[in-house]
């Protein structure tokens, strides 16, 4: 993990090793690795001079962070109110069925993770699914199947 | 680019920018808001730019990638200016045609125009479309016109003039007086008078003070703050600098949701530009006033929209709120006096300074001044962002601006105020919307989400949805919220599953009252609102679930029965093949039937059947 530590150090240095930077540092690490590796939590606690328990408390409090590895692609299903009334439950059901995953779970080959998000602010395009930052508008159970097939093919390529 | 050393430099730059824009013969505004973007807006921008560059190189024509236009239902949107020709649902392959016909030859392309669904008439000009004509766009008007990546575009439309006026002509007390006189109230939900807050913060004792912008727009269904931050961040930054001057702060923070990456990017970009131009940093516009502003990203916690939780999070702690017996204007971030307002509140400030408190306070109702941006979403034809003056009736927003409910369905209610708000039923459709009246009706303004619900929306399911949201988002610090909301969620889930008993409703009401009284923060105190307001107006739906074991809107799965209509079924077998639980039995060309025991009520057969033979009872 030597290599990782260097990358983590450079993230810490970017924000400055001070307690106020904790959340920003953790966001960058989480973004880079798709989760917070154990070594990174240790390193952050050491460099910022705070107990590991404090870093873990922040990591478990905020929804964005994961302590287990997540897939290379993350499917975020928006569960905002507008999406909900326009049919998110059906879309989530279809995704659970086709991927055989519950929200928060990752496929064994670490290709895909299924997650829900409270609202991505794309309410006019409801219901929406965001995959790796790309917003897919006006989803339907049928479109979900097409999207999953596309994602699976991309991974094979 | 040169640093602006004084107010005159700014005016000079404004003149130069206006002159440069006068050289433009035609320009195309293409909306780059989230909705248009997800429908292919970026490709439209590229295709139009490429097409223009090929035909008319030079600086007489240009494509402006602007902030959100607001009429999200019609995206991607392109408007050819100065003729104001509005094209809806534009795709990249129409770019050449738009440039050739409209930009170069002034012809209108009929099939790209917006069609008024009521009259069937095609409308050429943006300003004549009922969606826009019914609005009063003061704060949000600039966003759809603003060339996002160019600060001089904002300056050419009067940007930073309010800041220049404040720094060169006004004392901090005078600024506060103007904001107080204007009647501006917090647009984040609470509706606290902004000027009063600023005054308390100015009077508070402390060696350092902070100005903070709440861009942690967590209310599901609201996205006006996202759109303003993405499309016109300078307007918010200008408001923040004015606030900092008024209260005497030298440092500021914008706390923006992690889920809004483009807002974070554009705000950081705008801050950098403001620094380069000398509008931020040391010695702003040569007046000796110093202010630095930083962006901090949130990490997906709804509670961080609460002021004390937001400040805790800025300090690197978990986002737990504290009791409000000590106000944040006295002891907020790092225990120093801090002024927190939301995005839209700050965006109002430059307008008040430029046009005067008297002008501003003439808009709206007696106690709610100015305008409010609503995100009109859900079961509505014209989805989008709508800005109307306070006191506009619900009816005007839903039917005149919003164009009514799709598919001829019946309007049931609007939900405002997010998880802390409530529902306004159809019977209150004439209600003028302002802070007091929404509260009186059992809802609240919130940040301005307005989710329209039709006859197919189950109100008990909506209550369950919000309780589920609040269960997940409760920080867990106080018992009433942590345990109480969970118990309420269990009861409502029981009702949705058809296992409710009449006594459950009384239990819900009792729990609701206790939580309202005893919870620590605003989130907890308002958590029972979605249940109380649906109980108030839609008691009959609860009764249908509890007594008749029936979901009138046909949403709650355990209460549904799927059947095949014998007369309509042709025996095509499509539903049988698609059914994931193998619950459909039958042979080809003969009527099929559903095994109730196996049926999981997923609705796939209903969506698949081409003969409408699947009935839901």
């Amino acid at each position: 993990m030597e290599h990782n530590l260097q990358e983590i150090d450079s993230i810490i240095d970017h924000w400055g090793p001070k307690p106020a930077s904790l959340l920003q540092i953790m966001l960058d690490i989480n973004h880079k690795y798709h989760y917070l590796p154990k070594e990174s939590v240790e390193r952050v606690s050491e460099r910022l001079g705070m107990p590991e328990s404090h870093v873990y408390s922040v990591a478990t409090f905020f929804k964005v962070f994961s302590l287990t590895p997540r897939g290379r692609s993350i499917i975020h299903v928006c569960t905002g109110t507008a999406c909900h009334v326009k049919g998110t439950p059906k879309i989530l059901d279809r995704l659970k069925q086709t991927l055989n995953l519950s929200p928060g779970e990752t496929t064994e080959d670490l290709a895909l993770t299924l997650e829900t998000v409270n609202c991505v602010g794309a309410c006019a395009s409801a219901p929406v699914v965001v995959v790796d930052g790309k917003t897919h508008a006006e989803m339907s159970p049928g479109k979900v199947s097409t999207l999953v097939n596309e994602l699976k093919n991309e991974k094979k390529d | 680019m040169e640093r602006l050393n004084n107010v005159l430099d700014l005016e000079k730059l404004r003149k130069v920018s206006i002159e440069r824009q006068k050289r433009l013969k035609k320009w195309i505004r293409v909306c780059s808001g989230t909705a248009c973007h997800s429908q292919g807006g970026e490709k439209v921008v590229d295709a139009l730019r490429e097409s223009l560059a090929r035909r008319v190189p030079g600086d007489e024509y240009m494509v402006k990638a602007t902030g959100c236009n607001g009429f999200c239902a019609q995206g991607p949107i392109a408007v050819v200016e100065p003729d104001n020709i509005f094209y809806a649902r534009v795709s990249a392959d129409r770019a050449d045609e738009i440039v050739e016909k409209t930009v170069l030859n002034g012809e209108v392309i009929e099939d790209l125009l917006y069609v008024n669904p009521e009259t069937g008439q095609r409308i050429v000009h943006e300003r004549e479309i009922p969606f826009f004509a019914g609005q009063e766009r003061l704060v949000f008007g600039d966003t759809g016109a603003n060339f996002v990546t160019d600060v001089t575009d904002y300056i050419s439309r009067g940007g930073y003039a309010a800041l220049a006026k404040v720094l060169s002509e006004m004392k901090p007390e005078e600024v506060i007086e103007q904001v107080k006189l204007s009647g501006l109230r917090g647009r984040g939900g609470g509706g606290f008078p902004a000027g009063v807050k600023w005054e308390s913060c100015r009077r508070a004792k402390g060696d350092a003070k902070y100005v903070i912008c709440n861009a942690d727009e967590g209310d599901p269904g609201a996205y006006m703050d996202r759109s303003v931050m993405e499309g016109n961040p300078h307007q918010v930054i200008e408001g923040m600098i004015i606030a900092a001057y008024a209260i005497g702060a030298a440092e500021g923070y914008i706390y923006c949701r992690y889920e809004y990456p483009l807002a974070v990017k554009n705000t950081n970009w705008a801050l950098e530009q403001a620094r380069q131009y000398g509008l931020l940093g040391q010695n702003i516009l040569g007046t000796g006033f110093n202010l630095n502003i930083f962006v901090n990203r949130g990490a997906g916690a709804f509670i961080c929209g609460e002021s004390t939780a937001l400040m805790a999070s800025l300090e690197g702690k978990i986002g737990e709120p504290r009791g409000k017996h000590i106000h944040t204007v006295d002891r907020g971030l790092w225990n120093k006096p801090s002024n927190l307002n939301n995005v839209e509140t700050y965006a109002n400030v430059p307008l008040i300074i430029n046009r005067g408190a008297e002008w501003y306070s003439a808009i709206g109702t007696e106690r709610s001044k100015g305008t409010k941006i609503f995100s009109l979403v859900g079961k509505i034809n014209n989805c989008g962002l709508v800005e109307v003056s306070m006191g506009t009736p619900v009816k005007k927003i839903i039917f005149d601006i919003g164009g009514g409910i799709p598919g001829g369905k019946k309007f049931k209610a609007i939900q405002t105020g997010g998880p802390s708000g409530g529902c306004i039923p159809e019977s209150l459709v004439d209600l003028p919307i302002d802070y007091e009246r929404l509260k009186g009706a059992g809802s609240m303004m919130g940040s301005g989400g307005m989710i329209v619900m039709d006859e197919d929306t189950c109100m008990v399911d909506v209550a369950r949805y919000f309780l589920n949201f609040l269960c997940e988002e409760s920080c867990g610090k106080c018992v009433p919220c942590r345990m109480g909301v969970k118990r309420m969620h269990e009861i409502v889930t029981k009702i949705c599953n058809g296992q409710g008993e009449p006594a459950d409703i009384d239990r819900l009401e009792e729990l609701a009252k206790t939580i309202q009284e005893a919870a620590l923060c605003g989130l907890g105190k308002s958590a029972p609102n979605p249940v109380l307001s649906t109980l108030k107006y839609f008691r009959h739906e609860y009764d249908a679930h509890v007594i008749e074991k029936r979901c009138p809107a046909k949403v709650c799965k355990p209460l549904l029965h799927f059947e095949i209509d014998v007369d309509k079924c042709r025996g095509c077998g499509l539903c049988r093949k698609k059914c994931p639980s193998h619950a459909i039995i039958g042979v080809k060309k003969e009527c099929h039937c559903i095994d109730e025991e196996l049926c999981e009520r997923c609705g796939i057969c209903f969506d698949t059947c081409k003969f409408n033979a699947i009935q839901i009872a």
Side-chain angles (χ1 to χ4, degrees), chain B residues 32-51:
Chain B
S32 299
T34 315
C36 288
H37 196 273
S38 66
Q39 308 266 21
E42 200 182 9
K43 286 181 195 148
V44 175
V45 173
D46 291 343
L48 284 169
R49 280 200 178 131
E50 194 268 329
S51 182

Side-chain angles (χ1 to χ4, degrees), chain A residues 11-120:
Chain A
I11 291 173
I12 297 173
D13 292 333
H14 173 78
W15 292 103
K18 51 181 195 284
S21 309
L22 179 64
L23 196 59
Q24 305 308 310
I25 292 169
M26 287 169 73
L27 279 167
D28 282 356
I29 297 172
N30 193 67
H31 185 74
K32 193 172 181 85
Y33 302 107
H34 290 310
Y35 80 114
L36 295 170
K38 194 167 178 292
E39 297 78 6
S40 73
V41 175
E42 287 163 6
R43 190 66 173 176
V44 168
S45 114
E46 190 188 311
R47 295 266 332 257
L48 270 61
M50 52 173 63
E52 262 181 55
S53 61
H54 183 83
V55 184
Y56 276 114
S57 77
V58 172
T60 49
F61 183 86
F62 291 100
K63 208 178 168 180
V64 167
F65 302 117
S66 170
L67 293 170
T68 49
R70 288 186 296 182
R72 291 180 289 278
S73 280
I74 301 175
I75 304 177
H76 281 115
V77 182
C78 179
T79 54
T81 323
C83 288
H84 181 82
V85 299
K86 284 193 136 180
T88 295
K90 274 188 181 177
I91 284 158
L92 197 56
D93 279 352
R94 184 62 73 90
L95 274 168
K96 283 196 236 170
Q97 239 169 35
T98 34
L99 296 170
N100 201 17
L101 293 177
S102 290
E105 290 180 351
T106 304
T107 51
E108 269 180 28
D109 58 355
L110 287 183
L112 289 172
T113 298
L114 179 63
E115 282 196 351
T116 59
V117 54
N118 278 338
C119 179
V120 294

Side-chain angles (χ1 to χ4, degrees), chain B residues 159-459:
Chain B
Y160 288 105
L163 178 68
K165 184 176 171 187
V166 163
L167 292 184
S168 61
E169 297 170 19
M170 294 169 82
K171 288 192 192 116
E173 289 79 8
E174 288 170 340
V175 179
I176 291 172
E177 197 51 35
Q178 282 295 305
V179 177
K180 272 171 78 180
L181 280 175
S182 74
L184 173 67
R185 292 169 68 177
R187 297 290 191 252
F192 192 80
V196 176
K197 204 188 231 181
W198 292 15
E199 191 171 48
S200 319
C201 197
R202 172 150 196 94
R203 283 186 185 155
K205 288 195 176 76
D207 49 351
K209 290 180 185 178
Y210 298 101
V211 55
I212 307 167
C213 174
N214 185 349
D216 194 55
E217 188 178 46
D219 276 12
Y223 65 106
M224 63 290 293
D225 292 350
R226 171 183 189 151
S227 294
V228 174
M229 290 313 284
E230 284 179 1
N232 203 2
H234 282 292
Q235 193 176 335
V236 182
I237 294 168
E238 188 181 356
M240 269 184 92
I241 307 173
I242 294 170
Y245 174 75
I247 64 167
E251 204 167 292
Y253 292 91
I254 297 173
Y255 190 90
C256 186
R257 287 183 85 199
Y258 175 81
E259 291 88 342
Y260 291 177
L262 188 62
V264 173
K265 187 179 152 199
N266 287 1
T267 308
N268 268 320
W269 155 83
L271 288 172
E272 188 50 41
Q273 234 176 10
R275 268 179 222 118
Q276 285 172 1
Y277 276 85
L279 296 160
L280 199 62
Q282 297 296 306
N283 197 14
I284 294 172
L285 287 174
T287 58
F289 178 63
N290 308 324
L291 175 73
N292 246 320
I293 299 178
F294 307 94
V295 178
N296 265 48
R297 292 162 297 168
F302 176 68
I303 183 68
C304 287
E306 201 276 345
S307 58
T308 56
L310 187 151
M311 289 174 198
S313 170
L314 276 177
E315 293 174 10
K317 298 175 190 151
I318 58 172
E320 274 183 354
R322 60 163 167 82
K324 284 263 186 73
H325 49 280
I326 302 167
H327 295 297
T328 51
V329 286
D330 292 316
R331 268 196 257 163
L333 184 62
W334 313 113
N335 267 331
K336 308 272 191 246
S338 308
N339 179 72
L340 177 98
N341 286 119
N342 112 315
V343 170
E344 198 184 330
T345 316
Y346 283 125
N348 269 282
V349 173
L351 265 97
I352 294 169
I353 301 294
N354 280 330
R355 300 173 76 167
E358 212 166 290
W359 164 80
Y360 190 88
S361 62
I363 307 162
T365 59
E366 199 194 334
R367 291 183 60 195
S368 305
K369 300 298 184 190
T371 58
K372 176 79 193 87
I373 311 173
F374 292 100
S375 70
L376 189 60
V377 293
K379 309 281 188 71
I380 184 94
N381 277 317
N382 299 341
C383 272
L385 290 178
V386 172
E387 183 178 352
V388 289
S389 41
M390 294 278 189
T392 304
V394 176
K395 194 159 79 184
K396 186 178 173 193
I397 300 177
I398 304 296
F399 295 101
D400 299 350
I401 298 172
I405 317 296
K409 299 269 181 180
K410 198 169 171 301
F411 168 59
K412 188 187 264 183
I414 53 166
Q415 203 280 342
T416 65
S420 309
C423 294
I424 306 291
E426 204 242 337
S427 56
L428 292 178
V429 80
D430 290 316
L431 185 84
I433 291 196
D434 66 13
Y435 290 100
E436 275 71 33
R437 286 183 178 102
L438 276 176
K439 209 171 170 194
S443 185
M444 66 181 275
M445 183 72 83
S447 58
M450 192 177 273
I451 297 103
V452 184
M453 296 168 178
D454 68 2
E455 55 188 291
D456 291 340
T457 313
C458 169
M459 301 315 279

Side-chain angles (χ1 to χ4, degrees), chain B residues 5-19:
Chain B
N5 288 318
N6 50 50
V7 175
L8 289 177
D9 279 359
L10 175 70
E11 290 313 315
K12 221 185 286 168
L13 176 65
R14 197 184 322 279
K15 272 193 195 125
V16 172
S17 310
I18 294 171
E19 282 309 315

